[in-house]
Amino acid sequence: GAVVSQHPSWVICKSGTSVKIECRSLDFQATTMFWYRQFPKQSLMLMATSNEGSKATYEQGVEKDKFLINHASLTLSTLTVTSAHPEDSSFYICSAKIQSSYNSPLHFGNGTRLTVT
Amino acid sequence: AQKVTQAQTEISVVEKEDVTLDCVYETRDTTYYLFWYKQPPSGELVFLIRRNSFDEQNEISGRYSWNFQKSTSSFNFTITASQVVDSAVYFCALRPNTGNQFYFGTGTSLTVIP
């Protein structure tokens, strides 16, 4: 149980285009999902907390107009990288915790490797 | 402050050796939760264990064991008789009782040499 599906696993796009990444909780509901970014050989950097039915909460230094987050249902959150540039190339990982369980661990998607050329 | 420190950046061991990964945390909360995750080269993060702050029992699961010491704010992870498949980056994480946020350490990259 507690499976998080993230799609796509990898994407290559041209500079200036937008890329949408989907994160789905397959067998549980998640009012809150988290989006992380990970640079090579570095730790996870929390970008934003996605809240179902309301605006996402962004961490300091993360541009909300560039990284659009939509959490339209209890099982789906999307991250759109708008007008992507090579410096946006990174590994993006979503995660969710089981809504009904206070001490639930985070369950992670498999990540999306974005390369902007 | 809420913080997790994994002082070991990289560790290499020869197969069948035991290895301990250190994790030290800081938190203002009296109730909190600690986690270990494994990130193999493929990239996905795999949940290994959760420990509540009010439960100081150590835990063993096969070749894995965890030593939670509240007095030293540490939650160390030992792999016994390491195998090549254990090669991965391991992250320790803290979730305080207040708020929703998880705080991750910088990770320890473990390489098990055959």
Side-chain angles (χ1 to χ4, degrees), chain A residues 38 43 102-103 105-106 110, chain B residues 37 39 44 50 95 97 105:
Chain A
Q38 187 179 32
S43 187
Y102 186 77
N103 61 352
L106 284 180
N110 285 350
Chain B
Y37 287 86
Q39 186 178 37
E44 78 276 16
R50 171 189 58 220
R95 179 174 175 268
N97 196 41

Side-chain angles (χ1 to χ4, degrees), chain B residues 11-73:
Chain B
I11 301 177
S12 290
V13 298
V14 176
E15 200 171 20
K16 296 185 183 176
E17 285 185 350
D18 299 347
V19 59
T20 295
L21 310 182
D22 298 332
C23 173
V24 174
Y25 61 92
E26 293 176 38
T27 179
R28 293 183 290 264
D29 290 47
T30 53
T31 300
Y32 49 89
Y33 308 93
L34 298 164
F35 305 84
W36 274 97
Y37 287 86
K38 174 182 180 180
Q39 186 178 37
S42 52
E44 78 276 16
L45 278 129
V46 178
F47 164 65
L48 295 178
I49 191 170
R50 171 189 58 220
R51 175 59 71 225
N52 304 327
S53 57
F54 44 85
D55 179 5
E56 287 196 68
Q57 261 194 334
N58 291 323
E59 185 156 338
I60 298 175
S61 175
R63 296 185 298 107
Y64 294 171
S65 62
W66 291 269
N67 182 5
F68 177 32
Q69 299 251 345
K70 213 167 176 178
S71 59
T72 55
S73 297

Side-chain angles (χ1 to χ4, degrees), chain B residues 3-11 20-25 36 76 90 92 105-109:
Chain B
K3 187 180 176 183
V4 174
T5 301
Q6 293 180 255
Q8 304 149 308
T9 307
E10 296 182 358
I11 301 177
T20 295
L21 310 182
D22 298 332
C23 173
V24 174
Y25 61 92
W36 274 97
N76 296 338
Y90 291 85
C92 180
T106 49
T108 297
S109 177

Side-chain angles (χ1 to χ4, degrees), chain B residues 85-112:
Chain B
V85 293
D86 296 327
S87 296
V89 180
Y90 291 85
F91 290 97
C92 180
L94 162 73
R95 179 174 175 268
N97 196 41
T98 50
N100 244 337
Q101 191 162 340
F102 285 69
Y103 296 84
F104 284 85
T106 49
T108 297
S109 177
L110 173 65
T111 301
V112 181

Side-chain angles (χ1 to χ4, degrees), chain A residues 30-43:
Chain A
T31 52
T32 304
M33 291 186 178
F34 303 89
W35 286 95
Y36 290 87
R37 183 173 180 176
Q38 187 179 32
F39 292 102
K41 297 194 176 184
Q42 293 192 24
S43 187

